[in-house]
Amino acid sequence: VGLAAIQNQCISMLNNEGRLVLIGNAQMDPLTVNLQMASGRNQQIIGHMGYDALSWRAAVRMAGLGKLDLKSI
């Protein structure tokens, strides 16, 4: 199973108003997304390379402030 298949599966499993965050996917397969379905369900698909020290510190800080839903991970 390629990355695109896994990412599409993640998108299909999102609840209404769900959010998918793709971090550090430099070698990712091309991804085809049904934007009408995602927008109709008010979903968010966010991408970020996030591999520099500043980004990691920001993620840890956000987790510490309770701004990330870590229970669902």
Side-chain angles (χ1 to χ4, degrees):
V1 177
L3 284 175
I6 294 168
Q7 291 167 355
N8 278 315
Q9 182 179 18
C10 291
I11 293 167
S12 72
M13 296 174 68
L14 284 177
N15 292 326
N16 290 342
E17 299 186 15
R19 183 180 321 165
L20 174 64
V21 180
L22 304 170
I23 300 175
N25 290 293
Q27 298 297 322
M28 120 179 142
D29 296 339
L31 179 62
T32 301
V33 178
N34 182 335
L35 294 177
Q36 288 178 317
M37 182 185 299
S39 65
R41 295 176 65 196
N42 199 27
Q43 296 171 329
Q44 296 179 18
I45 302 169
I46 302 165
H48 190 285
M49 277 306 295
Y51 278 126
D52 63 0
L54 181 62
S55 295
W56 284 112
R57 283 193 295 267
V60 170
R61 185 172 51 251
M62 289 174 63
L65 293 171
K67 296 189 176 207
L68 301 176
D69 177 14
L70 300 177
K71 291 180 184 177
S72 64
I73 297 177

